């Protein structure tokens, strides 16, 4: 069974950059890996995802142009480069895995993800 571990969180100033990394153990092929976040007092929300097949990427609108998701299948890692961070990006960030083959709609449905990391805190202060 796949296990996921996030790293790279921290406290930064608004406008700064931060890079999160998700490292997987176990089978990595044929899984889509997504990044999710839970802002304080809010529900968990989709951030970005990277498919195995075709290397497609998906982003929530509010992070497009600021965040970049990348995948290294040899190292079994999926990174999330976050630039121009804003206060509203403050959240616990999670990586998660689901079977490949998601649609643009289902990749944003957390119920379709079968493995989750423990999360890493990102705090953006202005």
């Amino acid at each position: 069974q796949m296990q996921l571990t996030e790293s790279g969180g921290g406290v930064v100033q608004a406008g700064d950059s931060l890079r999160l990394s998700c490292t997987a153990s176990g089978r990595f092929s044929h899984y889509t890996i997504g990044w999710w976040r839970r802002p304080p007092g809010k529900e968990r929300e989709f951030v970005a995802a990277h498919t195995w097949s075709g290397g497609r990427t998906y982003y929530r609108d509010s992070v497009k142009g600021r965040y970049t998701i990348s995948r290294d299948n040899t190292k079994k890692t999926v990174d999330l480069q976050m630039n121009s961070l804003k206060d509203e990006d403050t959240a616990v960030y999670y990586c998660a895995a689901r079977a490949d083959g998601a649609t643009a709609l289902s990749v944003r449905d957390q119920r379709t993800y079968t493995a989750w990391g423990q999360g890493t805190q990102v705090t953006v202060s202005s």
Side-chain angles (χ1 to χ4, degrees):
Q1 185 175 353
M2 179 186 290
Q3 292 188 324
L4 302 169
T5 304
E6 304 93 341
S7 61
V11 180
V12 296
Q13 299 281 330
D16 284 351
S17 298
L18 203 59
R19 189 177 184 90
L20 304 182
S21 187
C22 174
T23 301
S25 63
R27 182 181 175 184
F28 193 65
S29 61
H30 305 290
Y31 280 93
T32 288
I33 304 297
W35 279 97
W36 293 73
R37 67 187 182 188
R38 187 191 299 274
K42 297 184 179 180
E43 297 293 315
R44 188 158 55 188
E45 60 189 25
F46 172 79
V47 176
H50 196 301
T51 69
W52 165 266
S53 177
R56 291 186 301 276
T57 57
Y58 302 89
Y59 297 93
R60 70 179 293 108
D61 286 346
S62 64
V63 307
K64 284 181 181 177
R66 300 189 298 123
Y67 287 18
T68 303
I69 189 170
S70 60
R71 179 171 183 147
D72 187 326
N73 292 325
T74 300
K75 296 180 179 178
K76 294 186 179 180
T77 58
V78 176
D79 290 353
L80 186 68
Q81 177 66 41
M82 306 184 295
N83 298 328
S84 302
L85 283 162
K86 306 176 180 180
D87 291 355
E88 52 263 42
D89 294 319
T90 293
V92 178
Y93 283 71
Y94 302 88
C95 64
R98 55 152 291 152
D100 219 31
T103 64
L105 185 62
S106 66
V107 78
R108 291 170 168 82
D109 185 349
Q110 61 180 316
R111 296 171 298 179
T112 67
Y113 288 78
T114 55
W116 293 83
Q118 293 299 306
T120 185
Q121 177 71 46
V122 172
T123 302
V124 183
S125 61
S126 57

